[in-house]
Amino acid sequence: MRALYWNGDDLSFESAYRRPVAGAQAALVRVHLAGVCSTDLQIFNGYMGFKGVPGHEFVGSVLEGPSEFVGKRVVGEINFGCGACDACRRDLRRHCPNRAVMGILNADGAFAEYVSVPAGNLHFVPDKISDEEAVFTEPLAAAFEILTQIQLDPGDEVLVLGDGKLGNLCAQALRLTGAKVTALGKHADKLALIKKAGVRTMQLKDWQPRLFDVVVEATGSASGLETALGAVRPRGTLILKSTIAGSHQASLATIVINEINVIGSRCGPFPDALAALEDRRVAVMPLIEKIYSLDDGMIAIGHAARPGARKILLRP
Ligand SMILES: [Zn+2]
Ligand SMILES: [Zn+2]
């Protein structure tokens, strides 16, 4: 099959990569669309030391596997737990110490014609949701994860730092609670997209520091942390969403002095994301920059790495 392959140093387009087999309790999925995420670009900077087919945002249809899935359109959760350990038995598969993560850790991903996914990770895609929308389920679920971690009340002041794809989705998801969400970013055009979704926006150059109950750091860069820390009120909450290959350099004294709750936040609930897409409560189509054929995957990845690029999709 055709696939993009990362060997740890270089990315290449492979025309005859080994096609995965479904395996026990797994499904062979024909990929309809896959999304390029900042995490993929971090992988090409050495994040996680991954080797294999990248890609963890996808929508597809099941070719082989458990009969209830065959022929159905699906999206899939990316953490493949072992199913046997303490974490897995406590329904914390995402934190299984033996896990593989699609396209990130010990499992081939979706920048390919086919991908093998444990059947337990799959979710059916309602007919009302197009492929172009469904491919956003994984990053949108990551945004909804915040709402499983903290209670937001109408009127709470929330700052989302970062106007990229994840910042956009976080702002839209958090706004659904009735909280007063402000998005802060560098790019007027991207902030305009967020504003269209009903969120207050502000450009970093006009930023006058003030304090928020909750601050979400979703800049995707190490430098966002300091601004984020400076915007949390005493005893407020800082949510960290960026996964970066580099290391942060910030003094932790502010966290101690202001008694700030710091919460790391990663993958989230697919059903919440699918429901929001189905009910049109979140708009993802404006986030698409361009759809490339998988054959042009190398160009597509280059495009995705351009500063300011919105979502790049690959169609095998
Ligand atoms: Zn991602
Ligand atoms: Zn496990």
Side-chain angles (χ1 to χ4, degrees):
M1 67 169 183
R2 292 167 296 124
L4 296 186
Y5 178 72
W6 172 250
N7 69 5
D9 292 311
D10 292 299
L11 186 71
S12 57
F13 174 80
E14 303 289 324
S15 56
Y17 193 79
R18 64 179 182 278
R19 178 170 152 168
V21 286
Q25 308 296 318
L28 181 67
V29 176
R30 184 172 68 79
V31 178
H32 295 181
L33 276 178
V36 182
C37 161
S38 305
T39 305
D40 301 314
L41 303 176
Q42 292 292 334
I43 283 171
F44 306 143
N45 285 326
Y47 179 63
M48 300 298 287
F50 176 72
K51 285 180 188 163
V53 177
H56 55 275
E57 302 175 2
F58 75 96
V59 55
S61 49
V62 175
L63 215 62
E64 293 168 24
S67 57
E68 67 267 36
F69 288 103
V70 173
K72 296 284 179 13
R73 212 155 55 98
V74 293
V75 289
E77 298 190 39
I78 70 174
N79 295 280
F80 304 167
C82 72
C85 73
D86 197 46
C88 285
R89 275 188 265 115
R90 286 186 295 140
D91 207 21
L92 288 170
R93 283 164 181 266
R94 278 183 269 170
H95 293 286
C96 168
N98 315 311
R99 71 182 177 276
V101 187
M102 180 196 289
I104 296 175
L105 177 71
N106 292 331
D108 276 344
F111 295 166
E113 285 180 87
Y114 304 96
V115 63
S116 171
V117 185
N121 285 49
L122 297 178
H123 296 263
F124 297 118
V125 178
D127 289 342
K128 271 208 274 184
I129 304 176
S130 68
D131 281 345
E132 287 78 4
E133 293 166 319
V135 74
F136 283 92
T137 306
E138 197 275 334
L140 183 57
F144 274 105
E145 174 69 358
I146 297 169
L147 295 177
T148 73
Q149 296 177 294
I150 59 163
Q151 163 86 31
L152 271 188
D153 295 312
D156 280 353
E157 290 272 7
V158 178
L159 179 71
V160 175
L161 212 67
D163 54 16
K165 299 166 283 275
L166 188 57
N168 183 312
L169 296 174
C170 287
Q172 290 197 63
L174 300 185
R175 178 185 159 267
L176 299 175
T177 62
K180 289 187 195 160
V181 180
T182 303
L184 178 64
K186 287 182 184 163
H187 311 91
D189 54 335
K190 293 192 188 179
L191 287 169
L193 281 184
I194 302 178
K195 195 171 188 173
K196 244 185 178 168
V199 175
R200 285 184 301 183
T201 59
M202 183 170 284
Q203 239 182 311
L204 197 55
K205 64 177 174 62
D206 303 324
W207 173 242
Q208 298 189 330
R210 65 183 184 92
L211 299 179
F212 292 78
D213 301 306
V214 174
V215 175
V216 177
E217 201 291 309
T219 62
S221 75
S223 60
L225 184 58
E226 207 176 315
T227 311
L229 263 177
V232 190
R233 70 159 166 77
R235 296 219 166 161
T237 301
L238 172 63
I239 312 260
L240 301 178
K241 268 291 178 194
S242 299
T243 47
I244 58 163
S247 56
H248 287 101
Q249 284 208 324
S251 164
L252 300 183
T254 311
I255 296 173
V256 178
I257 294 164
N258 291 335
E259 300 189 326
I260 291 169
N261 301 300
V262 180
I263 298 179
S265 182
R266 186 170 44 108
C267 302
F270 272 44
D272 297 12
L274 286 165
L277 289 172
E278 187 175 21
D279 301 344
R280 303 275 181 266
R281 281 179 286 140
V282 169
V284 294
M285 292 301 284
L287 280 170
I288 299 175
E289 173 131 336
K290 191 167 176 183
I291 302 178
Y292 284 89
S293 156
L294 179 64
D295 298 1
D296 297 324
M298 301 294 289
I299 302 167
I301 299 293
H303 188 166
R306 280 184 218 158
R310 284 168 293 147
K311 180 65 78 185
I312 298 296
L313 299 177
L314 296 172
R315 196 193 304 276

